[in-house]
Amino acid sequence: MASSFIRTGKKIVAIGRNYAAHAKELNNAVPKEPFFFLKPTSSYLPSGGRLEIPQGIVAHHEVELGIVVGKGGRDISQANAESHVAGYTLAVDMTARNLQDKVRKAGLPWSAAKGFDTFTPIGQFLPKDSVKDAHDLRLSLKINGIVKQDGTTADMIFRIPRLIEHVSSIMSLEEGDVILTGTPSGVGPVVPGDKVECVLTEAGGKELLSLDFEAVQREGGYHFQQD
């Protein structure tokens, strides 16, 4: 079932540069059509967990609205996209920024920069009928009580039906898959010891979902080396 997507979903499809202000803050061009990358479901970290930051990694937070796919399909039209949505979730697309910068300069893929274990903190399932308008929600992220990101899904460059149409024209969507819809501006570092709190609210202020986690230093495993 879609509500158990954290256990049963097969892929995380993460949309890049879907908020103009975020593209600008990283000196990236605004895309002409949606583009995305994949994250492994093994990177999910349920709320209350510990984000493990590998040695030498500069980890950045990117708070996002997630779409939980209910009915799978391919070549889904924008007109039919809504019927494929089971609900929503709140997520943080953690990024190993220094690793991403290094491999991008070399023209290499950046799966590793996004795919570390615990690098997708994830909230609970929010049924579709509990959301009045997915394009009028506020996303906020605090670190140690200080607001770092506070944006609205109204600022998405490509809206949800367009994202579903685009992704499903390339690869089939399956029940339990999650589409991360991009992040507003304000991304920045998370370091060991930080406590991160995220909230998804309606425009009127009603809280729909929350997500929190604590950052710790990962012991062993990957160690970043800057050449």
Side-chain angles (χ1 to χ4, degrees), residues 38-84:
L38 298 177
K39 299 190 74 166
T41 54
S42 53
S43 68
Y44 278 141
L45 175 70
S47 184
R50 290 185 162 196
L51 170 75
E52 298 182 353
I53 301 176
Q55 299 281 338
I57 286 294
V58 176
H60 277 198
H61 57 79
E62 301 183 15
V63 67
E64 314 205 5
L65 175 70
I67 305 162
V68 182
V69 175
K71 183 174 68 173
R74 65 188 298 234
D75 297 336
I76 300 166
S77 69
Q78 291 190 52
N80 291 328
E82 184 75 12
S83 68
H84 292 264

Side-chain angles (χ1 to χ4, degrees), residues 14-29:
I15 307 294
R17 302 177 200 167
N18 200 26
Y19 288 75
H22 170 59
K24 184 178 179 181
E25 73 181 349
L26 295 183
N27 296 313
N28 291 324

Side-chain angles (χ1 to χ4, degrees), residues 9 22 28 37 43 58 70 72 80 107 120 134 138 152-153 157 170 193 195 220:
H22 170 59
N28 291 324
F37 51 90
S43 68
V58 176
N80 291 328
T120 312
R138 293 209 73 85
T152 171
T153 58
I157 297 168
I170 295 167
K195 289 182 170 55

